[in-house]
């Protein structure tokens, strides 16, 4: 598969009905290996193996209701209290991380209310946090997927067009804009 800037991991694959399948340690089953799934599995293993997040606190591709529509998030890490803590939107390496990708993550977070949001295509990564005094601040990460809330090694950027979403989310997330 494609080389990503996330750490490599040991994986199990098999062929089934003409498709290559990869074992998902969260869903505990084999799933079709698409370029997006390759990124998702790298993120999951990074969280579990590098960041030592207990797998019981990680959810993958679960359904949420958004304005009466059914949607599926890619990865959510929950706090020990069971609250969404981090939402990760994964895209295939060939997909540019455009405003539409960030829009999708923000829409999902209206329902989830996670204080941290990350967007990745496996090559380029962005993570950010809702900061009450400044709104939503994204950090761009070139090599490391820093999801521990620290900015070390990350150059801070304020992502454009975020104020529109913060206004929309103001009541839902109880933040100031």
């Amino acid at each position: 598969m494609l080389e990503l800037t996330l750490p490599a991991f040991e994986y199990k694959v098999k062929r089934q009905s003409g498709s290559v399948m990869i074992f998902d340690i969260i869903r505990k089953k084999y799933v079709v290996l698409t370029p997006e799934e390759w990124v998702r599995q790298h993120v999951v293993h990074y969280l579990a193996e590098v960041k030592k997040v207990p797998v019981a606190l990680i959810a993958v591709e679960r359904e949420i209701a958004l304005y009466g529509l059914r949607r599926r998030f890619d990865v959510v890490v929950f706090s020990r209290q069971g609250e969404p803590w981090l939402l990760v939107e994964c895209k295939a390496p060939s997909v540019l991380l455009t405003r539409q990708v960030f829009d999708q993550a923000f829409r999902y977070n209206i329902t989830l209310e996670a204080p941290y949001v990350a967007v990745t295509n496996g090559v380029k990564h962005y993570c950010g946090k809702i900061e009450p005094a400044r709104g939503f601040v994204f950090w761009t990460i070139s090599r490391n997927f820093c999801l521990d809330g620290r900015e070390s090694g990350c150059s801070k950027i304020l992502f454009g067009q975020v104020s529109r979403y913060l206004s929309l989310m103001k009541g839902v997330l109880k933040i100031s804009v």
Side-chain angles (χ1 to χ4, degrees):
M1 282 307 283
L2 300 166
E3 187 174 327
L4 307 178
T5 60
L6 291 162
F9 65 97
E10 288 188 37
Y11 53 89
K12 298 179 196 173
V13 293
K14 70 176 186 177
R15 280 202 179 276
Q16 182 176 318
S17 305
S19 295
V20 176
M21 312 285 282
I22 188 166
F23 188 76
D24 183 316
I25 62 170
I26 305 302
R27 293 176 275 185
K28 296 182 175 54
K29 66 179 185 177
Y30 282 89
V31 296
V32 175
L33 181 56
T34 63
E36 183 175 315
E37 189 62 45
W38 184 239
V39 173
R40 189 168 23 254
Q41 291 304 313
H42 271 77
V43 168
V44 165
H45 282 267
Y46 172 80
L47 291 168
E49 295 166 11
V50 176
K51 290 299 183 182
K52 306 295 185 204
V53 175
V55 294
L57 298 179
I58 302 171
V60 174
E61 285 209 310
R62 291 238 186 107
E63 193 172 274
I64 58 172
L66 182 65
Y67 302 119
L69 302 172
R70 293 178 181 184
R71 298 287 182 244
R72 286 184 174 273
F73 61 72
D74 283 308
V75 179
V76 169
V77 174
F78 291 89
S79 69
R80 294 198 184 276
Q81 293 73 38
E83 299 294 325
W85 181 77
L86 166 71
L87 165 67
V88 183
E89 179 59 33
C90 301
K91 295 296 180 190
S94 62
V95 175
L96 296 175
L97 300 180
T98 64
R99 182 173 144 205
Q100 287 75 24
V101 175
F102 287 91
D103 289 351
Q104 180 182 4
F106 279 113
R107 281 192 305 272
Y108 290 1
N109 205 41
I110 289 170
T111 298
L112 293 166
E113 301 183 38
Y116 291 91
V117 175
V119 175
T120 181
N121 63 6
V123 178
K124 193 157 191 167
H125 323 285
Y126 294 88
C127 63
K129 179 183 182 194
I130 296 172
E131 294 182 0
R134 295 177 31 193
F136 202 89
V137 178
F138 264 104
W139 305 300
T140 181
I141 302 105
S142 57
R143 277 269 173 227
N144 299 316
F145 202 61
C146 83
L147 299 175
D148 54 9
R150 291 179 298 151
E151 300 168 44
S152 58
C154 301
S155 54
K156 256 186 169 180
I157 61 168
L158 209 51
F159 196 76
Q161 299 297 318
V162 172
S163 61
R164 166 170 82 106
Y165 293 102
L166 291 174
S167 296
L168 181 66
M169 294 188 297
K170 185 177 180 181
V172 176
L173 299 178
K174 299 163 188 71
I175 59 174
S176 60
V177 179

